[in-house]
């Protein structure tokens, strides 16, 4: 697409963002929302609108080549991303559930689930491409030095000499039998040809009749072929059959679009380099041409200020300190008296503020007591007036930054004429405006040094004339400064002990790779974790039935809690902090795949602290402390980083068999302590996976893992999608003979891992070669699946029951019960407000 297309798309996104900001920043404060359902509808609508804006912005930022536009876009993009995460956390706190269903909101807004799929920004990887490439090279070198690991070595199959001879004999006899059968077939065919040649006589059929018969056969064949082609095209058009695979991938529109996107990214890099060079050259040019004039005007203005202050007060003023802004205070359009008063009365203002603060606290306490007394009187008198209760949206950390970026867009880019800038290179005038301010600041610092010396000389000359000495003032200032220094020393916090102060990060990284703690992730993307959207979530919840989440919901949660915060430092610092995630689900649901996808999408290091992986490494208490120290030190230096623990429930098991050599409880104390030290600046994420979370103790497990994502077995729609995608991915071909719908229905309870196992067993190299003659049938997959135990409903119910016992699940159950009670009370209590009203009031007082 062209530059104008992306500019237009950015304009559309900004206009819809302006409409949302009017809703976010109302002129009058909004009243609290008492209806929880209405509050959720409001949040869900805003959430979906922000996702639509985010999708457009992300595409624009990826493809716009103008370097200055991209900076404004990035500012707004980070703000939008953070606002989506804030709204998500608001919905979690309101609904007491990580999973939310928007099918009713989507139908109102006339959108499809694909329209609200959260994209993973490409700049997470593209902007760190060189760093990631170097790190991958380093990892490859270290692994090459180590050589193949013992764990990966497969055990050799032991076979006796007799068994080996028997196997060779069987294969040899089979080979000879095939050859003999081939020769016999050829002999029979030759004999048949000879016999037909002898019996065949002269042609007796009339030539005209023969021609008519040939025409008849050919016309019938041609018409059947045309009909079949039209029928296939119609089935593809209505979505009942897959489109044919392209003969050459290079010439498809998708391939050409990807090529264009890649060329635009190369242009981005070239324009960015030119912009960086222009920043330096234009700044030097401004210094040379405008610098002397700026310096002279500043010095003249400051000298004028000296004279005005002396005329007004009879003495020269005190020069502002560097910490207060230096001479920048002088140019704030204030009179000399005001400036002098500000500089002299700073200490007095501080004392007054302290006194005022104490008085305000006392007044607040009195006000609170007065309010409580008033409430008590109202309750006794039976008045209906009560405090407004209900849900109110929390203040956002990202709306001001979005607003700032939007204002910059309005003032600079909304009405800017770019007819002459066809190639979309940097705008020199905008750089001049920015660099002129920087040059002024630099010159101001130089001017301040000169003018302080000049003011000192002026004061000395005046004091010499009057015979005064100024030693007392100097000594007083020095004492004050000493006092300040001593105060700062007292406020210093204790830092954590660095157990490896003399070692470089490269050496620590190499050590962790050699020990197998840092692991290389296979190239898996989150888009490969496929699943269909759940269309009945809202309907089931309205009927008080808690629906099982779909695989699409799981993918969304991993993006929101894992990928988006880790990818952007600005978002991670201000968004609600998510330190840890627990992925719980049956075997084969793709838990480890999701962890690897998070690492690949963000370009993160993966630290494997699974009990089996660290068994026998860093022994003893000191060794364990060293391991935790190394993981968190390297993780912070080379962030973003993901710490992975497989079968994490074993860490919190009550009883562990004595025969278990892995010692899974080893990290039980040290890991939670280390996780407490993770702050918003640290892009670290702990991800645990568990196939039996109900075996571990609930309280410590939920205290370590903030967010729990339950991964279910796939529903019918997801199974249908998975069968089609996995068969095509493994070089299979889907034809009309393969009944995918029946196969999806029969395989209820089987996970994506089970399906992939069955497909790899069926689609061998030999079977793939015969697909053109003998197409795939659904019956072929039944035999491999019959050997695998599916996930039964009892196991799914066990996961559901365990999830209901988590802190968030308990809160949801209480909220649902309270809603039912309120609904029942409302129906029966419309006539009179006697006893029920008193009970409610009593409960509120206790709270």
């Amino acid at each position: 697409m062209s530059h104008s297309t992306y500019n237009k798309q950015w304009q559309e996104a900004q206009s819809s963002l302006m409409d949302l900001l009017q809703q976010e920043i109302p002129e009058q404060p909004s009243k609290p929302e008492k209806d929880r359902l209405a509050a959720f509808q409001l949040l869900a609508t805003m959430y979906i609108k922000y996702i639509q804006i985010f999708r457009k912005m992300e595409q624009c930022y990826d493809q716009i080549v103008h370097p200055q536009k991209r900076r404004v876009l990035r500012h707004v993009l980070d703000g939008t991303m953070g606002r989506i995460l804030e709204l998500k956390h608001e919905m979690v706190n309101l609904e007491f559930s990580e999973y939310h269903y928007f099918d009713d909101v989507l139908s109102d807004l006339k959108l499809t689930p694909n329209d609200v799929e959260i994209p993973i920004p490409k700049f997470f990887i593209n902007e760190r491409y060189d760093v990631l490439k170097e790190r991958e090279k380093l990892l490859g070198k270290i692994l090459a030095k180590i050589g193949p690991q013992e764990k990966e070595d497969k055990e050799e199959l032991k076979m006796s000499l007799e068994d080996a001879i028997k196997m060779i004999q069987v294969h040899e006899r089979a080979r000879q039998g095939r050859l003999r059968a081939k020769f016999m077939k050829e002999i029979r065919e030759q004999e048949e040809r000879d016999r037909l040649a002898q019996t065949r006589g002269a042609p007796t059929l009339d030539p005209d009749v023969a021609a008519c018969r040939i025409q008849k056969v050919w016309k019938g064949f041609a018409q059947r072929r045309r009909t079949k082609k039209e029928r296939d095209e119609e089935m593809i058009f209505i979505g009942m059959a897959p489109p044919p695979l392209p003969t050459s991938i290079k010439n498809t529109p998708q391939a050409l679009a990807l090529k264009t996107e890649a060329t635009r990214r190369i242009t981005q890099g070239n324009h960015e380099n030119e912009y960086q060079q222009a920043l330096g050259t234009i700044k030097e040019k401004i210094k040379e041409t405008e610098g002397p004039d700026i310096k002279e005007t500043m010095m003249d203005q400051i000298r004028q200020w000296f004279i005005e202050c002396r005329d007004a007060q009879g003495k020269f003023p005190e020069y502002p300190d560097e910490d207060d802004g230096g001479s920048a205070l002088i140019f704030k359009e204030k009179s000399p008296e005001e400036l002098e008063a500000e500089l002299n009365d700073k200490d007095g203002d501080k004392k007054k503020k302290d006194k005022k603060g104490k008085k305000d606290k006392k007044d607040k306490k009195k006000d609170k007591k007065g309010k409580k007394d008033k409430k008590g009187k109202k309750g006794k008198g039976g008045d209906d007036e009560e405090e407004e209760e209900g849900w109110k949206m929390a203040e956002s950390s990202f709306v001001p930054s979005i607003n700032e970026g939007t204002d910059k867009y309005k003032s600079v880019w909304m009405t800017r004429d770019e007819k002459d800038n066809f190639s979309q290179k940097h705008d020199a005038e905008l750089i001049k405006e920015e660099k002129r301010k920087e040059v002024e600041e630099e010159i101001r610092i130089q001017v301040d040094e000169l003018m302080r010396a000049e003011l000192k000389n002026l004061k000395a000359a005046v004091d010499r004339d009057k015979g005064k000495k100024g030693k007392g003032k100097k000594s007083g200032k020095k004492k004050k400064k000493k006092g300040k220094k001593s105060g700062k020393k007292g406020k210093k916090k204790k830092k954590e002990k660095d157990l490896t102060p003399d070692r470089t990060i490269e050496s620590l990284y190499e050590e962790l790779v050699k020990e197998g703690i840092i692991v290389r992730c296979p190239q898996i993307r989150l888009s490969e974790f496929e699943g269909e959207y759940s269309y009945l979530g809202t309907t089931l919840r309205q009927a008080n039935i808690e629906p099982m989440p779909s695989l699409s919901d799981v993918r969304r949660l991993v993006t929101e809690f894992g990928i988006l915060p880790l990818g952007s430092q600005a978002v991670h610092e201000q968004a609600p902090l998510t330190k840890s995630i627990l992925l719980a689900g049956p075997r084969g649901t793709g838990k480890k795949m999701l962890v690897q996808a998070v690492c690949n999408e963000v370009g993160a290091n993966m630290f494997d602290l699974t009990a089996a992986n660290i068994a026998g490494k860093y022994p003893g208490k000191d060794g364990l402390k060293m391991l935790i120290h190394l993981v968190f030190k390297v993780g912070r230096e080379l962030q973003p980083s993901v710490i992975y623990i497989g079968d994490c429930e074993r860490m919190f098991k009550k009883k562990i068999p004595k025969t278990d050599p892995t010692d899974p409880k080893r990290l039980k104390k040290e890991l939670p302590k280390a996780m407490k030290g993770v702050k918003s600046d640290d892009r670290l994420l702990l991800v645990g996976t568990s196939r039996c979370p109900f075996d571990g103790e609930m309280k410590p497990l939920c205290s370590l893992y903030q967010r729990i994502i339950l991964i279910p077995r796939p529903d019918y729609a997801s199974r249908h999608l998975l069968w089609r995608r996995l068969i095509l991915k493994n070089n299979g071909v889907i034809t009309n003979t393969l009944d995918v719908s029946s196969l999806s229905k029969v395989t209820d309870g089987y996970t994506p891992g089970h399906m992939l196992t069955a497909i790899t067993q069926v689609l061998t190299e030999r079977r793939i070669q015969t697909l053109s003659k003998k197409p795939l049938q659904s019956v072929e997959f039944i035999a491999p699946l019959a050997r695998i135990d599916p996930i039964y409903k009892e196991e799914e119910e066990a996961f559901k029951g365990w999830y209901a016992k988590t802190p968030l699940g308990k809160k949801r159950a209480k909220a649902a019960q309270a809603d039912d009670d309120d609904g029942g009370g409302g129906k029966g209590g419309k006539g009179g407000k006697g006893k029920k009203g008193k009970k409610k009031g009593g409960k509120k007082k206790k709270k």
Side-chain angles (χ1 to χ4, degrees), residues 206-248:
D206 187 24
D208 294 336
V209 176
C212 286
R213 284 187 183 179
I214 292 167
Q215 284 178 353
K216 180 184 172 183
V217 172
W218 168 250
K219 285 179 179 177
F221 169 73
Q223 185 58 44
R224 283 192 295 274
R225 189 171 60 179
R226 275 197 299 271
T227 308
K228 187 179 180 296
K229 189 181 177 183
E230 287 173 5
R231 185 171 66 248
D232 291 343
E233 286 175 357
E234 186 183 359
M235 295 297 279
I236 291 165
F237 177 72
I238 62 175
M240 294 298 289
L245 294 169
T247 51
S248 62

Side-chain angles (χ1 to χ4, degrees), residues 113-250:
N114 291 330
D115 294 333
V116 292
E117 187 73 32
I118 299 176
I120 294 161
K122 295 177 187 69
F123 70 83
F124 287 173
I125 298 294
N126 292 343
E127 291 186 358
R128 298 176 57 235
Y129 181 74
D130 296 333
V131 178
L132 293 174
K133 203 172 181 181
E134 285 177 13
R135 196 174 73 195
E136 189 62 28
K137 278 184 184 177
L138 177 63
L139 186 61
K141 283 179 184 177
I142 297 165
L143 291 172
K145 280 182 189 177
I146 300 165
Q149 295 179 2
E150 291 178 5
K151 290 180 183 178
E152 293 178 1
D153 292 340
K154 293 179 180 178
E155 293 182 4
E156 291 181 3
L157 292 168
K158 291 180 180 179
M159 187 183 287
S160 64
L161 184 62
E162 290 178 2
D163 292 339
I165 291 166
K166 280 180 184 178
M167 188 178 282
I168 292 166
Q169 284 177 346
V170 167
H171 283 282
E172 180 58 26
R173 284 168 186 163
R175 188 186 68 81
Q176 290 176 5
R178 283 193 296 273
L179 280 172
R180 196 178 300 112
K182 186 183 175 187
F183 291 146
M184 291 302 293
K185 187 182 177 184
E186 286 175 359
I187 290 164
R188 285 195 198 96
E189 286 175 354
Q190 185 62 37
E191 286 176 355
E192 185 67 21
R193 281 196 294 270
D194 294 342
R195 190 179 63 80
L196 289 170
Q198 289 173 2
T199 56
R200 192 182 298 126
T204 56
L205 196 66
D206 187 24
D208 294 336
V209 176
C212 286
R213 284 187 183 179
I214 292 167
Q215 284 178 353
K216 180 184 172 183
V217 172
W218 168 250
K219 285 179 179 177
F221 169 73
Q223 185 58 44
R224 283 192 295 274
R225 189 171 60 179
R226 275 197 299 271
T227 308
K228 187 179 180 296
K229 189 181 177 183
E230 287 173 5
R231 185 171 66 248
D232 291 343
E233 286 175 357
E234 186 183 359
M235 295 297 279
I236 291 165
F237 177 72
I238 62 175
M240 294 298 289
L245 294 169
T247 51
S248 62
I249 300 167
K250 291 180 181 178

Side-chain angles (χ1 to χ4, degrees), residues 654-669:
K654 289 182 181 178
K655 289 183 181 179
I656 291 168
K658 292 180 180 178
T659 55
D660 191 353
T662 57
D663 189 16
K665 285 193 174 183
R666 195 177 168 200
L667 296 170
K668 189 176 179 181
K669 291 181 181 177

Side-chain angles (χ1 to χ4, degrees), residues 151-404:
K151 290 180 183 178
E152 293 178 1
D153 292 340
K154 293 179 180 178
E155 293 182 4
E156 291 181 3
L157 292 168
K158 291 180 180 179
M159 187 183 287
S160 64
L161 184 62
E162 290 178 2
D163 292 339
I165 291 166
K166 280 180 184 178
M167 188 178 282
I168 292 166
Q169 284 177 346
V170 167
H171 283 282
E172 180 58 26
R173 284 168 186 163
R175 188 186 68 81
Q176 290 176 5
R178 283 193 296 273
L179 280 172
R180 196 178 300 112
K182 186 183 175 187
F183 291 146
M184 291 302 293
K185 187 182 177 184
E186 286 175 359
I187 290 164
R188 285 195 198 96
E189 286 175 354
Q190 185 62 37
E191 286 176 355
E192 185 67 21
R193 281 196 294 270
D194 294 342
R195 190 179 63 80
L196 289 170
Q198 289 173 2
T199 56
R200 192 182 298 126
T204 56
L205 196 66
D206 187 24
D208 294 336
V209 176
C212 286
R213 284 187 183 179
I214 292 167
Q215 284 178 353
K216 180 184 172 183
V217 172
W218 168 250
K219 285 179 179 177
F221 169 73
Q223 185 58 44
R224 283 192 295 274
R225 189 171 60 179
R226 275 197 299 271
T227 308
K228 187 179 180 296
K229 189 181 177 183
E230 287 173 5
R231 185 171 66 248
D232 291 343
E233 286 175 357
E234 186 183 359
M235 295 297 279
I236 291 165
F237 177 72
I238 62 175
M240 294 298 289
L245 294 169
T247 51
S248 62
I249 300 167
K250 291 180 181 178
N251 298 327
T252 57
Q254 292 88 344
L256 293 170
L258 289 171
K259 193 177 178 182
T260 308
E261 287 177 7
T263 51
R264 288 183 75 90
R265 289 192 194 106
I266 293 164
T267 312
Q268 269 180 16
N270 297 335
H271 286 192
E272 181 65 29
N273 293 335
E274 289 175 15
Y275 174 68
Q276 293 297 338
Q277 288 173 0
L279 288 175
T281 53
I282 289 171
K283 187 177 179 181
E284 290 300 321
K285 199 173 182 181
I286 290 170
K287 270 186 184 177
E288 289 174 9
T289 55
E290 300 178 21
D293 295 335
I294 293 168
K295 193 173 182 179
E296 282 180 17
T297 50
M298 276 186 187
M299 292 176 83
D300 291 341
Q301 285 174 344
I302 292 166
R303 287 191 187 107
Q304 184 65 29
W305 177 64
F306 290 165
I307 294 161
E308 286 176 6
C309 283
R310 195 191 172 197
D311 292 343
Q313 296 180 352
K315 61 175 183 177
F316 286 111
E318 292 293 329
Y319 206 88
D321 294 330
E322 286 181 16
D323 299 335
D324 298 329
S327 59
L329 283 175
I330 299 165
F331 304 112
K332 283 188 178 178
E333 296 182 1
K334 290 184 180 180
S335 64
E337 293 86 354
E338 287 174 344
L339 273 170
E340 187 65 26
E342 269 187 18
L343 293 168
N344 290 335
D345 297 342
K346 271 184 184 177
D347 297 328
D349 289 341
K350 284 179 184 177
K351 290 176 184 178
K352 284 177 185 177
K353 281 178 185 176
D354 294 337
K355 287 179 183 178
K356 279 182 183 178
K358 289 176 184 177
K359 284 182 182 179
D360 291 339
K361 283 179 184 177
K362 288 179 183 178
D363 294 338
K364 281 178 184 176
K365 285 180 182 177
K366 286 179 184 178
D367 292 338
K368 282 180 183 177
K369 286 179 183 178
K371 283 178 184 177
K372 283 180 183 178
D373 295 337
K374 284 176 186 177
K375 278 184 189 176
K377 287 175 186 177
K378 281 177 186 178
K380 288 174 186 176
D383 292 336
D384 294 333
E385 291 180 9
E386 290 182 1
E387 271 193 16
E388 286 186 351
E389 291 185 357
W391 173 84
K392 200 170 185 181
M393 195 179 288
E395 284 188 15
S396 171
S397 307
F398 292 97
V399 169
S401 65
I402 295 171
N403 207 10
E404 185 185 334

Side-chain angles (χ1 to χ4, degrees), residues 430-692:
L430 288 173
I431 297 174
K432 283 179 184 176
E433 288 175 17
E434 290 175 10
K435 292 299 169 186
R436 197 172 279 118
K437 291 175 185 176
E438 289 181 20
V439 169
E440 282 178 7
E441 286 297 322
E442 289 175 10
I443 291 170
R444 180 174 283 117
I445 293 165
Q446 297 171 8
V447 168
D448 284 353
E449 290 176 6
L450 294 170
M451 297 313 292
R452 277 195 190 94
E454 190 174 320
L455 182 63
K456 192 178 179 182
N457 294 334
L458 285 170
K459 282 184 178 180
V462 171
D463 291 344
R464 209 181 298 119
D465 293 342
K466 293 184 178 179
K468 290 182 180 179
K469 293 180 182 179
K471 290 180 183 178
K473 289 181 183 178
K474 287 179 184 177
S475 61
K477 281 183 184 177
K478 281 179 185 176
K479 283 178 185 176
K480 281 183 184 178
K481 283 180 183 176
K482 280 179 186 176
K484 282 181 185 177
K485 281 180 184 176
S486 62
K488 281 179 184 176
K489 282 180 184 176
K491 287 181 182 177
K492 279 185 181 178
K493 294 180 181 179
K494 288 183 180 179
K495 289 184 178 179
E496 291 181 7
K497 283 185 179 179
D498 189 359
L499 301 176
T500 53
D502 303 328
R503 294 183 62 184
T504 60
I505 293 296
E506 287 78 12
S507 67
L508 298 177
Y509 182 82
E510 188 173 349
E511 182 185 330
L512 288 173
V513 173
K514 284 179 179 176
E515 291 292 337
I517 306 297
I518 292 178
V519 186
R520 176 184 269 172
C521 289
Q523 290 299 314
I524 293 169
R525 296 291 169 190
L526 192 68
S527 56
E528 293 177 36
F529 185 84
E530 290 175 309
E532 195 57 80
Y533 186 79
S534 176
Y535 293 93
L536 291 172
T538 308
T539 311
L540 290 171
R541 275 197 172 171
Q542 285 172 356
N544 291 329
I545 300 167
E546 186 60 28
M548 281 301 282
S550 68
L551 298 181
S552 174
D553 298 323
V554 172
R555 190 170 63 239
R556 181 185 290 275
L557 282 186
V558 170
T559 306
E560 289 168 337
F561 292 143
I563 293 172
L564 293 185
L566 278 181
S568 173
Q569 183 69 36
V571 173
H572 195 272
E573 285 176 2
Q574 291 185 306
L577 185 61
T578 301
K579 296 181 183 180
S580 51
I581 298 171
L582 172 63
L583 301 172
R587 65 191 182 281
T589 47
K591 299 180 287 296
K592 192 170 182 180
M593 179 188 176
L594 284 171
V595 180
Q596 291 166 348
V598 169
C599 295
N600 283 316
E601 294 290 359
V602 178
N605 295 296
M606 184 174 169
F607 297 85
D608 189 357
L609 294 184
T610 306
N613 190 43
I614 62 170
K617 298 170 185 175
Y618 298 96
K621 286 186 178 179
D622 294 335
L624 184 62
K625 283 181 182 176
M626 177 60 78
L627 172 64
I628 296 292
H629 166 73
L630 289 176
V631 167
F632 279 84
K633 184 177 180 180
V634 175
R636 282 189 176 98
E637 286 293 326
L638 304 175
Q639 55 185 328
S641 299
V642 173
I643 300 165
Y644 164 66
I645 300 176
D647 296 329
C648 60
E649 83 285 347
R650 296 175 66 211
M651 196 190 295
F652 303 106
K653 262 189 175 180
K654 289 182 181 178
K655 289 183 181 179
I656 291 168
K658 292 180 180 178
T659 55
D660 191 353
T662 57
D663 189 16
K665 285 193 174 183
R666 195 177 168 200
L667 296 170
K668 189 176 179 181
K669 291 181 181 177
E670 291 295 328
L671 187 62
K673 278 183 190 175
M675 287 306 296
K676 284 178 183 175
V678 175
K679 297 174 184 175
S680 58
D681 300 339
D682 307 323
R683 283 191 287 164
L684 296 173
L685 183 69
L686 173 67
V687 185
T689 61
S690 173
R691 63 172 70 175
C692 304

